[in-house]
Amino acid sequence: MSKIINYCKIDGLELSAESVRDIQIINSKLELGDMLATMMVAAPFVEIFSKKMKPHERIETISDYDWDTFANALLAVPTITRNRVNMIAESRALDTYGKERQFWSCVEKASR
């Protein structure tokens, strides 16, 4: 929760129970996005290096791997995560008022 609150720090801010819950959901989505990116990075290496094969076959497997699709998929993870955060923040900004609305507007703008 501290990253979001520190980035969008507003003096005297008191968050509702719903906002605290949604910050926890956002943190969970950020953590899952990081885990997904980590697993995606490992996948081709496991696929390529876990099989027994001769060195020249391994080199061929590496060169034949669809690295462009892999890169596009990996680059999409932060965008998807940011969009999910933005959807939550946008909804909370519409449902709150005062300093809490200022906070969620900041989160919404930061996640565009």
Side-chain angles (χ1 to χ4, degrees):
M1 180 152 46
S2 62
K3 284 184 181 181
I4 295 170
I5 290 177
N6 287 339
Y7 182 80
C8 294
K9 186 165 180 60
I10 296 174
D11 291 331
L13 174 66
E14 290 188 32
L15 294 172
S16 66
E18 293 86 2
S19 286
V20 170
R21 181 202 66 215
D22 285 343
I23 289 172
Q24 291 170 341
I25 291 169
I26 286 172
N27 285 336
S28 175
K29 291 192 181 302
L30 293 171
E31 190 175 318
L32 287 171
D34 289 344
M35 288 177 13
L36 176 60
T38 301
M39 290 186 310
M40 286 181 67
V41 167
F45 296 101
V46 170
E47 185 178 333
I48 291 168
F49 293 104
S50 67
K51 300 174 186 169
K52 275 192 151 187
M53 59 179 74
K54 295 178 181 175
H56 71 278
E57 292 172 332
R58 190 168 317 279
I59 290 170
E60 188 175 317
T61 302
I62 292 169
S63 66
D64 289 345
Y65 195 84
D66 190 352
W67 294 105
D68 290 333
T69 301
F70 168 75
N72 289 335
L74 189 59
L75 291 172
V77 173
T79 302
I80 293 166
T81 303
R82 192 174 58 249
N83 286 340
R84 297 295 180 244
V85 170
N86 184 269
M87 288 170 54
I88 294 169
E90 192 174 74
S91 174
R92 294 303 304 149
L94 294 172
D95 292 341
T96 55
Y97 57 93
K99 291 183 178 188
E100 195 169 12
R101 175 174 265 168
Q102 286 178 305
F103 169 77
W104 284 112
S105 292
C106 173
V107 175
E108 189 261 329
K109 287 176 187 168
S111 62
R112 284 187 187 156

